[in-house]
Amino acid sequence: MPSGPVRGRHAFRCSRFSWPRPRVKKSHSPFPALQFRSVKAFPPSVAAQIKTGFSSDQICLLHCSPGQLAAERLRSWQALLSAEERGKAVRFRYYSDYAAYICAHALLRAAIAVILDITIDAVEIRPGQNGKPELARAPVAVPLRFNLSHTEDMVLIALTRGIEVGVDVERLDRTVESDFITHCCSPREGREMLLLSARQRVKRFIRLWTLKEALLKASGQGITRKMKEICCNLDPPRLLQPGPLPGNPADWRLWRGHFPPTFVWSLAVRNAPRVDPVLIPAIQA
């Protein structure tokens, strides 16, 4: 969400050069040679859940808190990224953003490898329409669709069979300028906001934002200036006014939830079967 600073980020904040950053050169990888077949991002139980959920046409929601990762595991996951992704990762100023980016993209690659039964280094992802990631060589027999979102210390990845999907996760304790709220809310949503206290207004807006961003990502449009034209109901979550989105409101299904204590998420799919998403923790005790 393009808004103000996040409370609590000072706990992770470091100067631009105070944490280890591998040098990235265009000519070769800065990482030691790794046999990708030997790198296991998931324990067998998680891999089985992903494979079973996908084969059953369920919507798999893979989630992870990067703060739970040991530094050694994060380094091994970093090696799973493409050279371009590794280069982008080391440009983040905050360590929490760096860790979340690595975690999101490594888990996405590992999950795709599990579903397609290929090695992680064989997974090729490219930016599609409006930057939405897609497989460079998508197998016809397995119409895999996916989307990811990450914020400070939380990663969420959605995987579906043949259904366009969008997902967003945000912190509830972040600050949001009142002008930004006005800019993004429909008239109906704005009227509802006026009945709330300033603190409640921000929390309600963040929940609405996750719904709208998930919808826009599922449609392949990305964040647009027409977010104000989209109107959503929070409880239960449903689309009231599609604005720039394709189809009718009834074509869209929405879910929302939370990861205690401070994260909220939303999921959007279009023309989906009547199944609920399955939450799968990437790290299990």
Side-chain angles (χ1 to χ4, degrees):
M1 179 191 301
S3 61
V6 178
R7 295 191 187 96
R9 177 163 287 193
H10 63 275
F12 294 94
R13 186 170 183 172
C14 49
S15 71
R16 191 169 180 83
F17 302 102
S18 62
W19 55 280
R21 292 166 178 261
R23 295 180 181 274
V24 179
K25 297 182 180 180
K26 294 182 180 180
S27 58
H28 65 279
S29 169
F31 300 92
L34 259 168
Q35 294 297 322
F36 285 91
R37 295 174 187 271
S38 66
V39 177
K40 300 295 183 182
F42 303 122
S45 59
V46 175
Q49 283 182 275
I50 295 171
K51 207 170 185 71
T52 301
F54 186 84
S55 63
S56 303
D57 291 334
Q58 294 177 320
I59 303 169
C60 298
L61 282 181
L62 187 65
H63 60 96
C64 177
S65 171
Q68 298 177 1
L69 295 176
E72 182 178 353
R73 177 179 285 192
L74 190 64
R75 284 193 296 270
S76 70
W77 284 12
Q78 182 171 328
L80 303 180
L81 273 57
S82 68
E84 182 180 352
E85 289 169 336
R86 292 195 295 264
K88 185 174 181 178
V90 298
R91 289 195 292 270
F92 283 104
R93 181 176 182 182
Y94 297 101
Y95 180 83
S96 56
D97 294 332
Y98 159 82
Y101 181 89
I102 288 176
C103 185
H105 289 264
L107 289 178
L108 175 60
R109 288 179 173 276
I112 292 172
V114 166
I115 290 170
L116 300 182
D117 197 22
I118 59 177
T119 57
I120 296 176
D121 57 326
V123 176
E124 295 184 31
I125 300 173
R126 67 183 180 190
Q129 183 182 10
N130 295 315
K132 184 178 182 180
E134 63 181 20
L135 287 176
R137 292 180 292 181
V140 176
V142 187
L144 173 61
R145 302 290 184 270
F146 56 87
N147 197 233
L148 62 82
S149 177
H150 56 86
T151 187
E152 182 188 357
D153 203 33
M154 185 54 65
V155 166
L156 188 61
I157 298 168
L159 303 127
T160 69
R161 179 188 290 272
I163 303 168
E164 293 300 337
V165 61
V167 70
D168 187 44
V169 61
E170 300 286 352
R171 291 186 65 105
L172 264 183
D173 60 352
R174 66 186 307 159
T175 58
V176 184
E177 299 295 334
S178 58
D179 289 347
F180 188 71
I181 294 177
T182 302
H183 177 74
C184 295
C185 285
S186 69
R188 180 182 186 273
E189 293 164 344
R191 290 192 296 270
E192 293 173 344
M193 293 285 185
L194 293 176
L195 303 175
L196 305 174
S197 66
R199 185 176 180 182
Q200 291 175 323
R201 193 177 304 134
V202 169
K203 290 187 175 183
R204 182 176 182 84
F205 172 74
I206 292 173
R207 292 186 175 98
L208 278 171
W209 171 277
T210 62
L211 284 175
K212 293 187 178 190
E213 182 163 346
L215 283 162
L216 286 166
K217 290 169 74 176
S219 71
Q221 297 183 53
I223 305 305
T224 73
R225 295 181 179 179
K226 297 181 179 180
M227 187 172 280
K228 194 182 185 83
E229 298 177 16
I230 300 172
C231 183
C232 294
N233 188 71
L234 272 184
D235 297 305
R238 59 190 176 95
L239 179 63
L240 301 176
Q241 180 179 316
L245 300 172
N248 300 312
D251 296 336
W252 292 90
R253 296 193 66 198
L254 297 172
W255 295 265
R256 68 183 190 89
H258 72 283
F259 298 117
T262 58
F263 299 98
V264 292
W265 60 266
S266 289
L267 169 73
V269 294
R270 186 182 175 207
N271 298 324
R274 292 291 167 179
V275 294
D276 289 325
V278 177
L279 284 165
I280 304 174
I283 302 173
Q284 297 184 347

